[in-house]
Amino acid sequence: MSAKEQSGGGTVEYIQHHLTNLCAGDCDPVTHKAASFWAWHLDTLFFSIALGALIVVVSWRLSLRLTAGVPGGFQNFVESLVEFVSGQVKDSFPGHNPLIAPMALTIFVWVWLMNFMDLIPVDLLPVIAGFFGIQYLKVVPTTDLSTTFALSLTVFILIVYYNIKVKGALGYLKMFLFHPFGKYLVPVNIVMTLIEELAKPLSLGLRLFGNLFAGELVFLLIALIGGTLAVGAAALFWLPLQVVLDLGWLIFHLLIITLQAFIFMVLTIVYLGMAHVSEH
Amino acid sequence: MNITVTLIGQMAAFVLLIWFVNKVLWGPLNNLLAERQKRIADGLAAAEKGKHELELSEKRAREMLREAKTQAAEIIAQSEKRATEIIEEAKADARSEGERLIAAARAEIDQEVNRAKEQLRAQVAAIAVAGAERILKREIDEKAHADLLQDLVAQIR
């Protein structure tokens, strides 16, 4: 505690508090962090599933009034989204697999929505939750490694599945043995391919997590300008600065969340495309 | 420990969401896009066909118009010919009728002239006889000199 006080206790505590999930199950009673694997992050689950439900409800309602004639505004928007994802899949996925495109669309939209939670003012939802007696709330599901790795591990499982399905179990094994350096460097090949394959889900999950976590942190720091420095007459300087910085980071971050959702989608398509190529 | 059992829940949610999006949004929307593509293709084909048909019927209309024009010209030419024929016929009729009338009038005139001549002759003969009677007083017997008188009459004529 003394270290915290030295580095301006309130600030650190504020950030720590914002980065703590609402934990249930096996949690540390002091820090409220997960103590082992068997802890549920209720906020992550709630927001991701709520956003998933939003996708479900909106697409279900849209499906009821789809028309092949002149499309309305929203159908037009969804159609262009679908055609955009379709184009991405056609560009970077060899062969045909009816699962890839809807999965890519799901990733893009869901990840984008979860990222979008980052643009909601950092204190708004936690304060509202505080009124209901909820002490901790981390609103951006993609700043939780559990979410990003859930996505990347699902993709990884599919990568392994399609590798075995397309190349055969033996062919998949051969890939580890003889790729990339041929049959004389088998031990090196195994290590190289293993790293290559494991790097796929790791980089997918960590990239998304890192970007969103850093973005969230910057929002917290900008929020601190108004929270800690704006005392008395100084507020005349610090508050406008906070607004300007927040607006700038919001606009920039809007680009980042879209880019990250897009990158996750495209890499998923590319990785699964590589799994479908049988010559190695 | 940052990765928790939440991971499992998120994976389940992810898989379910993919299934749902595929079932409700992706599938129907793609069918619809395909259907619209077909509709547009059909529409374009129909438009092309219509254009072609329009061209054909325009061509046909042009042909018909040309035919009608030539027919009309023919009819006009024929009727003009017929008109001149009728006029010629009428002229010929009028001429022959006129000639006939003239001939009849001439014949009548000749007849009248002849009749007048006969009357005159008879009157002259009678006057001559009467004159001779007066001159010769009873000397000339009408019965006895009948042939003489006849001769005289013939000379006058």
Side-chain angles (χ1 to χ4, degrees), chain A residues 17 32 35 78 85 110 120 132 160 206 208 247 257 259:
Chain A
H17 181 262
H32 295 280
V78 176
V85 174
W110 199 32
I120 296 171
F132 295 97
V160 173
L206 284 177
L208 184 59
L247 180 67
I257 64 168
L259 197 65

Side-chain angles (χ1 to χ4, degrees), chain A residues 112-145:
Chain A
W112 191 85
L113 282 175
M114 289 194 288
N115 289 352
F116 184 81
M117 296 304 286
D118 215 359
L119 302 188
I120 296 171
V122 283
D123 282 315
L124 183 64
L125 292 177
V127 165
I128 292 173
F131 285 132
F132 295 97
I134 296 167
Q135 290 301 313
Y136 294 95
L137 195 71
K138 205 171 155 194
V139 294
V140 191
T142 38
T143 57
D144 188 337
L145 273 173

Side-chain angles (χ1 to χ4, degrees), chain A residues 37 39 41 48 68 79 101 147, chain B residues 4-7 10 20 26 29 36:
Chain A
F37 183 73
H41 287 165
S48 59
E79 272 179 22
T147 304
Chain B
T4 71
V5 70
T6 309
L7 176 91
Q10 295 288 75
F20 190 89
W26 188 269
L29 205 59
R36 184 179 304 145

Side-chain angles (χ1 to χ4, degrees), chain A residues 34 37 39-41 44 48 52 56 63 66-69 75 79 82 101-103 105-107 110 146-147 149-151 154, chain B residues 1-11 13-15 17-18 20-22 24-26 28-30 32-33 35-36 39:
Chain A
F37 183 73
W40 295 93
H41 287 165
T44 299
S48 59
V56 165
S63 74
L66 282 180
T67 168
Q75 188 188 331
E79 272 179 22
V82 162
M103 185 164 107
L105 179 68
T106 309
I107 288 174
W110 199 32
S146 297
T147 304
F149 276 121
L151 294 170
T154 312
Chain B
M1 189 97 182
N2 242 322
I3 299 171
T4 71
V5 70
T6 309
L7 176 91
I8 311 290
Q10 295 288 75
M11 282 172 84
F14 182 42
V15 170
L17 196 59
I18 292 173
F20 190 89
V21 165
N22 186 23
V24 170
L25 192 62
W26 188 269
L29 205 59
N30 269 303
L32 181 140
L33 289 177
E35 191 189 325
R36 184 179 304 145
R39 258 199 213 180

Side-chain angles (χ1 to χ4, degrees), chain A residues 14-259:
Chain A
Y14 174 81
I15 291 175
Q16 284 284 346
H17 181 262
H18 268 279
L19 294 182
T20 305
N21 284 99
L22 180 61
C23 188
D26 191 6
C27 306
D28 191 314
V30 180
T31 61
H32 295 280
K33 302 253 181 193
S36 75
F37 183 73
W38 299 107
W40 295 93
H41 287 165
L42 294 182
D43 44 5
T44 299
L45 283 169
F46 173 77
F47 284 112
S48 59
I49 290 171
L51 292 169
L54 182 72
I55 296 172
V56 165
V57 169
V58 168
S59 51
W60 178 67
R61 283 198 55 187
L62 179 66
S63 74
L64 293 183
R65 51 192 176 83
L66 282 180
T67 168
V70 181
F74 186 64
Q75 188 188 331
N76 215 343
F77 169 72
V78 176
E79 272 179 22
S80 53
L81 198 63
V82 162
E83 276 175 346
F84 165 70
V85 174
S86 246
Q88 291 297 328
V89 173
K90 268 182 204 131
D91 282 348
S92 35
F93 188 78
H96 179 74
N97 186 338
L99 177 69
I100 303 302
M103 185 164 107
L105 179 68
T106 309
I107 288 174
F108 185 63
V109 176
W110 199 32
V111 169
W112 191 85
L113 282 175
M114 289 194 288
N115 289 352
F116 184 81
M117 296 304 286
D118 215 359
L119 302 188
I120 296 171
V122 283
D123 282 315
L124 183 64
L125 292 177
V127 165
I128 292 173
F131 285 132
F132 295 97
I134 296 167
Q135 290 301 313
Y136 294 95
L137 195 71
K138 205 171 155 194
V139 294
V140 191
T142 38
T143 57
D144 188 337
L145 273 173
S146 297
T147 304
T148 59
F149 276 121
L151 294 170
S152 65
L153 273 180
T154 312
V155 171
F156 181 66
I157 290 168
L158 284 175
I159 290 173
V160 173
Y161 170 73
Y162 282 117
N163 261 319
I164 292 172
K165 194 182 172 194
V166 173
K167 301 179 174 85
L170 215 63
Y172 192 41
L173 200 67
K174 269 187 191 163
M175 193 181 96
F176 280 90
L177 294 179
F178 304 126
H179 173 264
F181 294 125
K183 56 186 172 180
Y184 299 113
L185 282 167
V186 170
V188 181
N189 287 340
I190 290 174
V191 174
M192 292 288 284
T193 313
L194 208 61
I195 291 172
E196 190 189 324
E197 289 301 299
L198 289 178
K200 285 174 183 173
L202 267 178
S203 65
L204 266 185
L206 284 177
R207 182 185 301 107
L208 184 59
F209 167 77
N211 272 282
L212 270 292
F213 189 83
E216 175 84 339
L217 212 57
V218 171
F219 274 122
L220 286 172
L221 290 174
I222 291 171
L224 274 171
I225 294 174
T228 58
L229 297 172
V231 181
L236 287 176
F237 172 72
W238 292 112
L239 274 180
L241 182 69
Q242 184 196 354
V243 171
V244 169
L245 284 177
D246 207 38
L247 180 67
W249 186 243
L250 267 176
I251 293 167
F252 184 60
H253 208 56
L254 190 61
L255 181 73
I256 289 180
I257 64 168
T258 311
L259 197 65

Side-chain angles (χ1 to χ4, degrees), chain B residues 56-113:
Chain B
L56 273 182
S57 47
E58 263 178 4
K59 206 172 137 196
R60 212 176 304 138
R62 267 204 302 279
E63 267 171 23
M64 278 166 83
L65 200 66
R66 205 172 48 231
E67 251 173 49
K69 267 186 188 162
T70 51
Q71 266 182 7
E74 246 172 55
I75 289 168
I76 288 170
Q78 267 181 1
S79 51
E80 268 174 3
K81 205 173 130 201
R82 179 85 194 110
T84 46
E85 268 176 17
I86 288 170
I87 290 168
E88 285 306 317
E89 269 173 26
K91 271 187 189 165
D93 281 355
R95 201 175 295 129
S96 61
E97 179 71 9
E99 275 165 8
R100 199 179 58 77
L101 285 175
I102 290 168
R106 273 204 190 121
E108 212 172 313
I109 290 166
D110 282 352
Q111 244 175 1
E112 289 293 323
V113 166

